[in-house]
Amino acid sequence: MKLKNYFLLILLAALWGPSFLFIKIAVVDISPIMMAAMRIGFAAIFLNVFLLMRRIKLPKDKTFWKHVALAGFFAQALPFILINWGEQYIDSGLASIINGLTPLSTVVLAHFTISAERLSAKKLVGVALGFTGLVVLSLPKLTNGFDAAFLGIVAVTLGAVSYAIGLVYSRKYLSKAKPMHAPAGQLLACSIYMVPLAFIFDSQTVFSQIGTPAWVSIFVLSFFGTAVAFVVYFNLIERAPASFVSLVTYIMPIFGIALGTIFLDEVITSTMVFGMLLILSGILIVNIRLKFLKPKIAEDQVVAR
């Protein structure tokens, strides 16, 4: 594997991993739905200007735009709202760990929707390990009943599942789209319905009261965590196997936990470490190729955060 591919992999993790820190900062001043709309809207502008500069035109057919609108809802709009909401009640480091369930959820969903990606015994073991990790992370929050912290875990988990739905849908209906067309189209389509909805349903955000840290966080999330990350991601998947790209899932929690600990004084518990190890072990088992088994027909990928 070329050294540049490893550099791109680390860069991608460095772009996606800190997202959970900046979400935690921004959600103090901005409501979850408004933050999602702002992130998507600004990212759509950044990414589509990038395509214009490279003279890349998006398709005009209605089928493409129908698919990117639906894929974008599950891959960006819904998970952004859910994770934003969840991080009001749980640490950013914990959210970054739970987000690791995305590739495992993808494996399960792909089994029922894509004939070439059926569950095997090895994949079932990996999925079981991963979701056992989720149970380990959730149990301490249930000591006081279904409190806000537990509901935060549920919200972030549903966000990870939504990412998986968006990825599976994109595989099925957008796999033939040219690189960058699908993400740019998704963000543009999402912004068209997300921005008006945010203003209709948001009753908390007062723009004049948004502090500088929150504005900086939105810029970082939109530009680096979404637009630039998409460019790096698609550059990487054009150069390396999907199994290599999926390694970013192992690196992201390192950034998420470290940054949360350094800047937000979040505490790393033994339960978090154990739960993370279970989830990452599940991802490893799902993705690893065993020599005595036949090669996989299709590899699992990750999606942008």
Side-chain angles (χ1 to χ4, degrees):
M1 193 68 65
K2 295 181 179 179
L3 184 61
K4 184 176 180 180
N5 290 356
Y6 285 98
F7 169 76
L8 291 174
L9 184 73
I10 299 298
L11 177 59
L12 185 59
L15 290 167
W16 276 341
S19 296
F20 303 95
L21 167 69
F22 291 107
I23 290 170
K24 188 73 173 178
I25 294 171
V27 80
V28 174
D29 292 343
I30 309 172
S31 72
I33 188 170
M34 183 61 73
M35 193 202 311
M38 292 169 71
R39 178 178 178 180
I40 290 168
F42 290 139
I45 294 171
F46 294 141
L47 195 55
N48 281 277
V49 167
F50 172 77
L51 294 188
L52 285 174
M53 291 172 62
R54 299 193 63 181
R55 298 182 180 179
I56 299 175
K57 295 182 179 180
L58 294 176
K60 295 182 180 180
D61 63 282
K62 294 180 180 179
T63 302
F64 169 82
W65 286 103
K66 179 189 75 173
H67 289 318
V68 294
L70 284 171
F73 174 78
F74 289 107
Q76 277 96 36
L78 184 58
F80 285 179
I81 294 172
L82 288 168
I83 294 172
N84 293 348
W85 188 89
E87 283 206 45
Q88 294 178 113
Y89 307 107
I90 64 172
D91 289 347
S92 62
L94 179 56
S96 70
I97 295 172
I98 298 172
N99 189 68
L101 293 171
T102 296
L104 298 178
S105 302
T106 303
V107 169
V108 176
L109 292 169
H111 170 77
F112 296 101
T113 57
I114 301 175
S115 59
E117 299 190 30
R118 297 301 183 191
L119 277 170
S120 62
K122 178 170 70 71
K123 287 182 178 180
L124 279 172
V125 171
V127 170
L129 266 178
F131 283 94
T132 300
L134 175 63
V135 173
V136 169
L137 294 172
S138 303
L139 284 177
K141 308 299 181 183
L142 279 173
T143 53
N144 298 320
F146 292 92
D147 59 3
F150 176 76
L151 294 178
I153 289 177
V154 172
V156 176
T157 302
L158 291 175
V161 173
S162 184
Y163 277 134
I165 295 172
L167 176 57
V168 171
Y169 187 91
S170 296
R171 282 185 187 173
K172 194 165 185 177
Y173 297 107
L174 294 169
S175 59
K176 296 182 180 179
K178 293 182 179 179
M180 302 306 301
H181 277 187
Q186 286 175 25
L187 289 169
L188 187 58
C190 276
S191 64
I192 291 172
Y193 58 76
M194 274 297 297
V195 172
L197 284 174
F199 280 99
I200 291 172
F201 291 102
D202 176 74
S203 60
Q204 302 177 36
T205 303
V206 179
F207 288 94
S208 61
Q209 296 179 3
I210 297 177
T212 300
W215 280 116
V216 171
S217 296
I218 286 295
F219 173 79
V220 172
L221 286 167
S222 303
F223 184 71
F224 293 104
T226 308
V228 175
F230 267 132
V231 175
V232 175
Y233 174 68
F234 280 92
N235 192 326
L236 186 57
I237 63 174
E238 287 178 2
R239 301 167 53 90
S243 57
F244 178 81
V245 181
S246 69
L247 294 176
V248 71
T249 313
Y250 300 92
I251 308 172
M252 284 172 55
I254 298 174
F255 284 93
I257 294 173
L259 292 173
T261 303
I262 294 169
F263 293 102
L264 300 177
D265 296 323
E266 295 177 352
V267 178
I268 302 174
T269 65
S270 57
T271 301
M272 286 176 60
V273 173
F274 184 47
M276 179 179 66
L277 290 175
L278 285 172
I279 291 173
L280 296 184
S281 296
I283 299 169
L284 177 63
I285 291 172
V286 164
N287 285 281
I288 195 171
R289 287 191 178 189
L290 301 178
K291 293 182 179 179
F292 55 84
L293 295 177
K294 294 180 180 179
K296 292 161 92 176
I297 296 174
E299 297 285 356
D300 298 311
Q301 298 181 5
V302 292
V303 294
R305 307 297 189 265

